[in-house]
């Protein structure tokens, strides 16, 4: 039924909280008044997918790991299964893609933020020994972490747990209400829009994504490698993968992004920003 995204700094206790959340769901679903729901609970994460910490030290391997996570979530999320995505989920663009999967299926979602101070996460990571991240990778992932923002639709509803506060327990009743009791927004509500507004949105979606692709192709003509490429319509920059990106590859990414967002309109002034984030995950 719902999708629950865990997020937080490295070694912030996401997996511990995910396991706790699974136990709480299973206990409540076992109660007589909830057995009729016939829901199962599944954790999808690095352990299940066989992803080691070292993967996050190499951009291409990390990209493959994200692809495996998205595929697994897409395969499992349904109206009969509660999916807990227990992966780093530290980039906004990845959480946005997971959000799109939930909307396409027509189910609910929420984000659980395991908030912890850098010093506390660093100490806990060190205490884990070989099970933790090496120092360089921990610092790199922590520096890249993008905290969730409950005002964005892909990060809401947002539940924040202060990990170093022993009295801050999982707000399970709130999570249950948000993802089980609440009715999911229809995946195709955009079809109710006025034709003029829909036509304008699709035009802007096409224009903004095409401008981003044009900027990438134009930059490659010079033959001078660029690590972070500025593009029209946003302050976000495309992280070039260190190789030539083909037109067919860019068109394929654009078609997938357009498919995800055709029926669920984005804010027009955010299209370029989100497309750049999408490319940064998938290139």
């Amino acid at each position: 039924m719902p999708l629950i995204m865990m997020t937080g700094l490295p070694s912030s206790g996401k997996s511990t909280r995910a396991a706790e959340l699974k136990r709480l769901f299973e206990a409540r679903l076992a109660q007589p008044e909830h057995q009729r729901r016939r829901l199962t609970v599944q954790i999808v994460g690095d352990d299940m997918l066989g992803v080691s910490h070292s993967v996050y030290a190499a951009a291409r391997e990390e990209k493959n790991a994200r692809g495996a996570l998205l595929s697994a979530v897409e395969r499992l999320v349904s109206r009969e299964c509660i999916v807990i995505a227990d992966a780093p989920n530290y980039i906004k663009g990845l959480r946005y893609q997971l959000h799109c999967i939930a909307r396409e299926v027509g189910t609910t979602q929420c984000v659980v933020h395991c908030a912890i101070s850098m010093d506390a996460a660093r100490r806990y990571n060190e205490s884990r020994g070989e099970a933790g991240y090496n120092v360089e990778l921990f610092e790199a992932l922590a520096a890249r972490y993008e905290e969730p923002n409950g005002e964005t639709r892909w990060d809401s509803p947002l539940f924040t747990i202060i990990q170093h506060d022993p009295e801050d327990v999982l707000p399970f009743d709130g999570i249950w209400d948000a993802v089980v009791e609440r009715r999911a927004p229809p995946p195709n509500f955009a079809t109710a829009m006025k034709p003029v507004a829909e036509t304008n949105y699709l035009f802007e979606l096409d224009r903004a994504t095409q401008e981003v692709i044009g900027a990438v192709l134009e930059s490659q003509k010079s033959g001078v490698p660029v690590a972070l490429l500025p593009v029209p319509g946003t302050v976000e920059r495309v992280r070039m993968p260190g190789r030539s990106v083909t037109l067919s590859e860019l068109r394929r990414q654009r078609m997938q992004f357009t498919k995800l967002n055709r029926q669920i309109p984005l804010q027009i002034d955010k299209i370029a920003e989100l497309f750049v984030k999408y490319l940064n995950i998938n290139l």
Side-chain angles (χ1 to χ4, degrees):
M1 189 170 178
L3 171 64
I4 301 170
M5 290 177 260
M6 309 298 295
T7 185
L9 288 168
S11 293
S12 60
K14 296 183 295 297
S15 295
T16 299
R17 291 293 192 174
E20 179 185 356
L21 196 54
K22 183 175 187 289
R23 288 194 300 271
L24 290 169
F25 270 114
E26 289 175 339
R28 182 163 295 187
L29 289 169
Q31 295 174 0
E33 62 269 31
H34 296 299
Q35 288 179 354
R36 60 180 174 78
R37 297 181 185 272
R38 300 179 183 275
L39 291 173
T40 59
V41 188
Q42 177 72 57
I43 294 178
V44 178
D46 289 351
D47 288 344
M48 171 192 171
L49 299 171
V51 174
S52 66
H53 290 165
S54 62
V55 161
Y56 295 99
R60 180 165 292 279
E61 290 186 17
E62 181 176 354
K63 173 188 170 183
N64 293 337
R66 290 175 186 163
L69 173 69
L70 290 168
S71 296
V73 169
E74 194 167 18
R75 184 173 63 254
L76 290 170
V77 72
S78 68
R79 297 177 186 276
E80 292 77 38
C81 183
I82 299 171
V83 176
I84 303 172
D86 176 31
N89 298 327
Y90 67 96
I91 294 176
K92 289 183 288 187
L94 178 57
R95 297 197 297 270
Y96 167 71
Q97 284 187 279
L98 289 167
H99 158 81
C100 288
I101 290 172
R103 290 301 300 272
E104 280 193 327
V105 174
T107 189
T108 54
Q109 68 155 63
C110 76
V111 174
V112 176
H113 178 203
C114 299
I116 190 171
S117 69
M118 273 289 293
D119 287 341
R122 196 175 283 119
R123 287 194 301 270
Y124 180 62
N125 186 64
E126 291 173 355
S127 72
R128 297 173 66 192
E130 293 184 0
Y133 297 84
N134 68 53
V135 175
E136 293 78 10
L137 183 55
F138 173 89
E139 296 296 336
L141 290 175
R144 300 204 300 263
Y145 181 60
E146 297 177 318
E147 287 195 2
N149 177 359
E151 294 184 1
T152 61
R153 55 183 174 152
W154 54 88
D155 281 340
S156 64
L158 175 62
F159 298 92
T160 298
I161 311 156
I162 308 301
Q163 292 289 73
H164 52 268
D165 183 350
E167 297 183 0
D168 203 359
V169 298
L170 266 172
F172 180 66
D173 287 339
I175 294 171
W176 172 275
D177 289 341
V179 297
V180 176
E181 301 295 349
R182 190 182 63 167
R183 183 184 297 274
N188 62 341
F189 74 92
T191 56
M193 296 172 62
K194 295 180 180 179
V196 173
E198 180 178 340
T199 302
N200 183 63
Y201 170 70
L202 293 178
F203 171 80
E204 293 294 339
L205 180 63
D206 181 77
R207 180 193 60 78
T209 53
Q210 188 59 54
E211 285 185 354
V212 173
I213 286 178
V216 173
L217 293 174
E218 187 64 29
S219 74
Q220 294 184 147
K221 289 181 180 179
S222 67
V224 179
V226 177
L228 293 173
L229 175 68
V231 296
T234 176
V235 297
E236 293 289 335
R237 299 190 173 200
V238 178
R239 288 196 297 270
M240 300 299 287
R243 58 177 174 82
S244 180
V245 183
T246 65
L247 175 58
S248 61
E249 184 178 4
L250 289 168
R251 281 178 173 169
R252 186 169 62 252
Q253 298 297 345
R254 178 170 172 262
M255 286 177 61
Q256 183 62 28
F257 180 82
T258 300
K259 177 184 175 183
L260 287 170
N261 295 287
R262 183 179 294 273
Q263 296 297 324
I264 309 172
L266 304 168
Q267 294 180 33
I268 287 176
D269 61 351
K270 295 289 187 181
I271 293 174
E273 173 188 344
L274 291 170
F275 185 48
V276 169
K277 290 180 181 294
Y278 183 87
L279 289 177
N280 287 342
I281 290 174
N282 292 286
L283 283 180

